[in-house]
Structures are given as structure tokens and as C-alpha cells.
Amino acid sequence: GTLGKFQEDSPANIFTKDDVVFDLVYNPVKTKLLKIAEEAGCQIISGIDMLIFQAIFSLELFLNLDLNFTDVEKVMRKSLTT
């Protein structure tokens, strides 16, 4: 991964409050890109969300499980952010 590397000279004014910014990087959870976008009033989505959704889908698909998405997400999010 890139560990959230974001060009230091990237202009903060490239975002508007109507933008949605999705950073696929999940370490750190809130990258510099997401912090800048959040400060501009954007909706932000972390790469950790994609990681969790992929993991749950994979478990269901490959192990033929019917998982409670909300419960699994809580456990995974806690283990990934501690």
C-alpha cells in the first residue's frame, strides 16, 4: 500500500462540499487526502470500508455462509482500527 501518501502540494481547493471522496488506502484509516476532503465539507469513504465489504463477500461466497453483515462489520472494523 501507499500508506496514505498524498502530494504535499496538492491544493485543498480542488474539492467542493458536493464531492464524495473515496480513498482506497486503508492505513491510516483517515489519509491526508480524506482529511483535506473532509475539511472541504465532502463526504469521505475510507479504504477500510472496501476491505471489510470484500472480506464479508468473500467469506459468504467461498464458505457458502449467510452472514449478518452488521455484526461482522462491527467485529472487523474494531479489529482493524485497534
Side-chain angles (χ1 to χ4, degrees):
T2 61
L3 290 176
K5 292 183 182 171
F6 183 66
Q7 292 178 337
E8 294 298 322
D9 59 348
S10 298
N13 63 352
I14 61 173
F15 302 115
T16 69
K17 64 179 180 56
D18 298 321
D19 293 332
V20 176
V21 178
F22 189 161
D23 194 342
L24 296 179
V25 175
Y26 57 85
N27 183 11
V29 173
K30 194 177 285 186
T31 63
K32 182 169 179 133
L33 170 68
L34 292 181
K35 288 177 185 175
I36 290 171
E38 186 175 53
E39 289 171 6
C42 302
Q43 176 185 345
I44 61 170
I45 304 169
S46 170
I48 203 162
D49 295 321
M50 185 183 76
L51 180 68
I52 290 170
F53 297 142
Q54 286 178 329
I56 292 170
F57 180 75
S58 295
L59 287 169
E60 289 184 328
L61 181 66
F62 294 111
L63 300 177
N64 197 29
L65 297 174
D66 185 21
L67 300 172
N68 179 308
F69 180 85
T70 304
D71 291 344
V72 176
E73 179 188 17
K74 284 179 187 175
V75 170
M76 292 179 75
R77 193 173 295 279
K78 184 177 180 181
S79 69
L80 289 168
T81 57
T82 56

